[in-house]
Amino acid sequence: MTGHKRLFIKTYGCQMNVYDSERMAETLGAQGYVLTDKADDADMVLLNTCHIREKAAEKVYSDLGRLKPLKAEKPDLKIGVAGCVAQAEGAEIQRRMPLVDLVVGPQAYHRLPEMLARVDAGEKALDTDFPPEDKFEHLPKLRTRSAPSAFLTVQEGCDKFCAFCVVPYTRGAEVSRPVDRLMTEARDLAARGVREITLLGQNVNAWHGDAAGRGLGWLIREMAGIEGIARIRYTTSHPNDMDDDLIAAHGDCAALMPYLHLPVQSGSDRILKAMNRKHTAEQYLRLIERIRAARPDIVLTSDFIVGFPGETDTDFEATMDLVRAVGYGMAYSFKYSARPGTPAAEKTPVAPEIADDRLHRLQALLTEQQRACQESMVGREVGVLYEKPGRLPGQMSGKSDHLHAVHVDDPDGKVGELVRVRITAAAPNSLAAVRIGS
Ligand code: SAH
Ligand code: SF4
Ligand code: F3S
């Protein structure tokens, strides 16, 4: 009997990991694995991990601990660790957790088939290289996903070296994928019924083509020309890489959605400098003005770190002031977590209770702004791309142009339809709407 082997993948961290998990599933699919959503049924468990904060990284070890009884019961079960913890900790993972058969970094997963062969032969496998070949060139072409919205990684790695961040170490140097490969992948997605593409990169707006003048704005316009592609988004961007052409695209490219995630981390110039962010609060605010001039209804979101080493009450108040000045649709805020190997980890941390208190205050303000943004949508007409049936019968749910979750009363609605709706009510995390057109 041959039959299929079952693969369970758990994905932690950012959208780049979501994209990578899909690519790994396809690579292993070519080896006879089909996805299962139950770890208990699996012949192989793969954890695609995140190293960004200590808690995220430690979670991997507790999840591995929980796999011990399963491995004891099924000695043939293969356990793999991929992603940024794999890259950062390498062989240490197998020392700490001997049940792990395979450790693969984010730039080496096209080599999974060879690694599996080694595991089948009873060896342990470890690959955390940054190989010279392009992993994307070595992945199977088929994409298994058929949802109306898809991720497409256009850029990987980061050269910014913010003082707190592990990404330049775990993902390596900034690399832009070539135009022809990206256009082929985007056309392939469109042919499969994808209507919305979210371009991904740790520093996605640093993407550039090999000819002068080809930045992310250019790529977005090219992709907007593909038949079937109605919506384009991109994430995550660094303020210093928002060039004029990309800002202009927000005004003149109809497929580019009115939503931008533009992390600022802090509103204090002193802290921004210590973080090595290479811009001031004022420069960020001027940039926001230019973006809003191009697209007045754009929803802006951000990331913040509180309790960065040396942050005083005055610094924190500057962050609160910046948040008030911008008015975000949503934002993530994190308590600073010291990461091994980063420059900031050498500095004296802010007392945890002070950091907790600041985080609390910042989150309260951000929640208030999020609610105001949701409420400002009531009465407006927007587009919604249906992603799944809604919770109630006769409803469809999907994302608005501004990336709000919307439940639409539409008994005849179908997944993949892009419709016009009028927003009728706002709840804290979603909007209600009625369909007014197609
Ligand atoms: N490339 C993106 C985001 C990278 S990680 C950017 O430049 O903004 C996502 C977010 O995690 C960051 O924006 C930051 O807010 C947060 N983060 C990164 N390192 C962190 C750390 N050591 N402690 C707490 N939060 C961190
Ligand atoms: Fe990390 Fe900074 Fe690079 Fe973002 S820009 S990935 S925060 S080093
Ligand atoms: Fe985490 Fe790596 Fe993404 S550290 S946030 S999974 S790039």
Side-chain angles (χ1 to χ4, degrees):
M1 196 187 92
T2 54
H4 281 303
K5 293 170 279 182
R6 281 177 295 259
L7 169 67
F8 174 82
I9 303 187
K10 177 167 176 180
T11 307
Y12 312 65
C14 63
Q15 289 107 323
M16 312 260 323
N17 263 11
V18 175
Y19 178 88
D20 287 344
S21 288
E22 284 174 18
R23 301 286 78 74
M24 287 193 280
E26 287 156 10
T27 303
L28 293 170
Q31 306 292 305
Y33 281 91
V34 292
L35 279 175
T36 169
D37 51 12
K38 288 192 256 351
D40 289 351
D41 287 351
D43 299 291
M44 175 162 182
V45 171
L46 191 58
L47 306 182
N48 193 14
T49 62
C50 174
H51 200 244
I52 201 84
R53 285 168 289 276
E54 191 181 355
K55 246 193 225 151
E58 280 308 310
K59 181 132 204 332
V60 174
Y61 287 102
S62 57
D63 285 351
L64 285 171
R66 244 174 281 134
L67 286 171
K68 276 182 190 163
L70 192 62
K71 178 89 172 180
E73 205 181 295
K74 291 166 75 170
D76 287 341
L77 173 71
K78 294 187 182 69
I79 297 180
V81 177
C84 291
V85 175
Q87 191 63 43
E89 301 191 356
E92 175 61 21
I93 297 173
Q94 281 160 326
R95 264 196 296 276
R96 227 174 120 177
M97 287 286 170
L99 85 173
V100 173
D101 299 294
L102 174 161
V103 173
V104 62
Q107 305 306 349
Y109 62 71
H110 55 295
R111 295 174 172 171
L112 271 169
E114 310 150 43
M115 297 179 75
L116 269 183
R118 297 219 299 279
V119 172
D120 280 332
E123 293 169 36
K124 298 258 176 195
L126 169 82
D127 192 338
T128 52
D129 285 354
F130 289 102
E133 77 269 13
D134 175 356
K135 77 178 165 207
F136 297 107
E137 293 268 359
H138 292 80
L139 296 174
K141 295 289 169 288
L142 92 176
R143 296 204 44 166
T144 48
R145 212 161 171 273
S146 57
S149 179
F151 290 142
L152 172 47
T153 293
V154 302
Q155 177 281 326
E156 280 211 281
C158 183
D159 296 340
K160 294 274 192 288
F161 292 92
C162 299
F164 49 81
C165 185
V166 295
V167 170
Y169 312 97
T170 62
R171 292 276 171 167
E174 208 172 275
V175 177
S176 293
R177 292 183 64 197
V179 173
D180 54 337
R181 306 278 310 171
L182 295 174
M183 291 304 288
T184 303
E185 200 167 326
R187 282 192 204 99
D188 179 52
L189 289 171
R192 274 157 215 282
V194 166
R195 309 293 316 275
E196 173 181 270
I197 296 183
T198 300
L199 306 178
L200 298 181
Q202 271 90 21
N203 243 321
V204 71
N205 60 343
W207 180 89
H208 53 86
D210 40 20
R214 292 186 170 182
L216 192 67
W218 177 87
L219 183 66
I220 288 169
R221 289 190 180 93
E222 288 293 301
M223 286 193 181
I226 297 174
E227 199 182 324
I229 299 303
R231 290 175 144 192
I232 299 175
R233 306 178 185 279
Y234 60 96
T235 198
T236 293
S237 299
H238 190 288
N240 289 2
D241 291 319
M242 284 307 293
D243 65 22
D244 292 346
D245 185 47
L246 182 54
I247 295 173
H250 277 284
D252 62 34
C253 178
L256 182 55
M257 291 291 102
Y259 176 95
L260 176 62
H261 184 61
L262 197 59
V264 63
Q265 317 297 352
S266 169
S268 153
D269 289 345
R270 223 175 53 82
I271 295 298
L272 285 168
K273 192 165 195 311
M275 286 176 163
N276 195 30
R277 292 290 290 184
K278 299 198 170 88
H279 64 77
T280 63
E282 187 60 26
Q283 284 165 335
Y284 180 84
L285 291 172
R286 293 290 84 81
L287 175 61
I288 297 290
E289 272 173 16
R290 286 167 55 218
I291 296 165
R292 281 193 166 136
R295 183 74 205 229
D297 72 333
I298 198 162
V299 166
L300 294 162
T301 66
S302 189
D303 294 340
F304 293 91
I305 295 177
V306 302
F308 185 81
E311 185 187 71
T312 63
D313 284 340
T314 313
D315 294 318
F316 176 68
E317 290 309 328
T319 298
M320 295 290 275
D321 287 344
L322 178 139
V323 171
R324 286 186 203 102
V326 174
Y328 288 103
M330 198 274 300
Y332 298 101
S333 47
F334 308 102
K335 192 159 77 156
Y336 169 74
S337 169
R339 307 307 291 127
T342 61
E346 316 285 311
K347 308 253 180 71
T348 315
V350 167
E353 57 283 4
I354 293 179
D356 282 332
D357 179 60
R358 288 177 188 164
L359 186 62
H360 229 76
R361 288 184 49 209
L362 176 59
Q363 285 179 343
L365 176 60
L366 290 169
T367 305
E368 208 177 281
Q369 292 194 341
Q370 179 172 343
R371 197 159 301 156
C373 177
Q374 302 257 121
E375 268 155 23
S376 74
M377 293 290 159
V378 176
R380 288 180 57 179
E381 291 177 13
V382 295
V384 172
L385 177 61
Y386 288 160
E387 288 174 352
K388 52 180 192 265
R391 244 167 299 153
L392 302 175
Q395 268 190 347
M396 293 299 295
S397 78
K399 297 282 169 18
S400 74
D401 301 337
H402 305 88
L403 207 61
H404 287 121
V406 188
H407 304 292
V408 187
D409 287 323
D410 184 359
D412 302 321
K414 290 177 199 64
V415 169
E417 267 186 302
L418 184 57
V419 303
R420 298 293 297 171
V421 308
R422 182 175 298 109
I423 306 295
T424 53
N429 295 307
S430 66
L431 302 172
V434 290
R435 180 169 177 170
I436 53 173
S438 51

